[in-house]
Amino acid sequence: MDIDRRALIAFLGGPAAVASMSPEAKADALEHYMAFQLNQSKAAEAKQKFPTAAEVEAQIETRGNRRGVGNLFLSSTGHVSKLPPMPEKPTLADFFNLRFKATSNHVLQSANLAVKNHMSEEIVLACLLHDTVQELIKVDHGWWGAQLYEPYVSEKVAFAIRYHQALRFYEDKAAGYEYPDLYRNMFGEDYKPEPYIDATYKMVRAHKWYMEPRLVTVNDLYAFEPGVNPTLEQFTDIIGRNFKQPKEGLGFDGSPVAHMWRSIAMPDHPL
Ligand SMILES: [Fe+2]
Ligand SMILES: [Fe+2]
């Protein structure tokens, strides 16, 4: 595939955004860009072709890793890079800046869209946090993510994070959510969510807080949006009002999820 350097840099948000990216993030971004280009040219064809669920399943043994593994534990360049040390008492912002390298742009774009769409602060925060646990683990990321944040956010924010994972498989056109092509690509065009996801959807659909996770799916982005690179500073006040930062630092406050934060901070520990 021919790569137009200028178009690529614009796609990534301009020269300053590119300069601030780690080599790993650049490799990931290049991969995103190539997938995006490929999708563009594919979409131009009369009929877009998606894999079947059986074809997706057949890929399992072609990989050296499980698809559910967290980004921090994976390499797209053949080797992982050394991570910068974390401060003694790490804050949410430290995790964004030093560990959430693969997910931060996506969640910042979602939170930015939520602000543009005049969402409540709780929805904006849920959007900002909704996929960040994928640095640790991707499989069942709604549940893992809600658990990671539960001690520090309101019940509603945790509810929104937990259940966005199930709701994304079910359309709600009235709320502005259509099933994205991204999932036809990732799961196969004939993919049927498992019974536990279906049961969860039915429970949430009838719940008084249904719109909380639904609005996360509405403000989620299903393609890398070229040239949009919001910064964490835009959300400092919302975080300050809605995220209870522990004074000992995330990972050292003795909470039931402290080990999850430590695992993100120090993923090179062998045991
Ligand atoms: Fe998600
Ligand atoms: Fe997302």
Side-chain angles (χ1 to χ4, degrees):
M1 184 188 293
D2 288 336
I3 294 177
D4 175 344
R5 248 185 97 76
R6 279 175 53 191
L8 171 61
I9 291 169
F11 178 86
L12 299 177
V18 174
S20 72
M21 292 167 98
S22 70
E24 292 257 310
K26 273 182 200 157
D28 279 347
L30 181 63
E31 207 177 300
H32 271 124
Y33 178 71
M34 288 169 72
F36 173 78
Q37 291 284 75
L38 201 63
N39 279 343
Q40 295 288 94
S41 55
K42 272 190 189 160
E45 290 171 17
K47 191 173 178 295
Q48 193 161 5
K49 168 96 176 83
F50 298 106
T52 63
E55 281 165 350
V56 172
E57 171 116 5
Q59 290 168 5
I60 290 174
E61 293 187 313
T62 67
R63 293 195 190 91
N65 59 273
R66 305 265 174 213
R67 286 175 98 195
V69 72
N71 296 312
L72 271 170
F73 298 85
L74 272 181
S75 159
S76 50
T77 57
H79 59 87
V80 293
S81 55
K82 202 159 179 188
L83 292 164
M86 296 287 287
E88 221 174 290
K89 297 175 180 176
T91 63
L92 180 63
D94 293 322
F95 276 90
F96 260 88
N97 295 327
L98 302 170
R99 291 296 181 271
F100 295 170
K101 288 293 180 190
T103 55
S104 57
N105 187 266
H106 166 69
V107 296
L108 284 164
Q109 287 195 6
S110 300
N112 188 47
L113 184 60
V115 169
K116 276 194 199 154
N117 288 334
H118 310 289
M119 296 290 114
S120 68
E121 289 202 350
E122 283 176 307
I123 297 292
V124 173
L125 183 67
C127 286
L128 184 68
L129 307 178
H130 80 285
D131 282 339
T132 51
V133 81
Q134 291 185 30
E135 306 287 356
L136 180 64
I137 186 160
K138 289 183 185 168
V139 55
D140 256 334
H141 73 283
W143 275 271
W144 281 96
Q147 194 178 1
L148 180 69
Y149 286 110
E150 220 148 31
Y152 316 108
V153 299
S154 72
E155 233 179 296
K156 245 186 207 175
V157 171
F159 187 93
I161 296 172
R162 178 168 287 118
Y163 296 121
H164 88 275
Q165 179 197 335
L167 294 199
R168 72 206 163 130
F169 291 118
Y170 303 86
E171 286 201 332
D172 183 346
K173 286 189 178 150
Y177 182 74
E178 280 187 47
Y179 191 77
D181 278 352
L182 175 73
Y183 295 152
R184 292 190 177 92
N185 257 325
M186 281 177 80
F187 295 94
E189 61 180 350
D190 53 345
Y191 176 76
K192 291 270 172 296
E194 288 176 52
Y196 83 99
I197 294 284
D198 215 41
T200 300
Y201 167 67
K202 289 191 179 97
M203 181 281 285
V204 178
R205 190 74 187 86
H207 197 283
K208 63 178 177 189
W209 286 351
Y210 165 68
M211 282 312 283
E212 307 293 317
R214 175 49 77 203
L215 288 171
V216 174
T217 68
V218 169
N219 291 283
D220 206 345
L221 284 120
Y222 301 96
F224 194 75
E225 203 182 337
V228 181
N229 289 278
T231 63
L232 188 64
E233 286 65 48
Q234 290 171 230
F235 305 99
T236 302
D237 290 349
I238 289 180
I239 293 170
R241 283 191 289 269
N242 297 276
F243 185 87
K244 297 180 213 86
Q245 171 65 45
K247 61 179 185 321
E248 305 87 345
L250 290 162
F252 306 103
D253 59 343
S255 89
V257 302
H259 63 288
M260 293 168 72
W261 290 98
R262 292 195 303 268
S263 299
I264 299 172
M266 301 171 278
D268 287 306
H269 285 190
L271 286 173

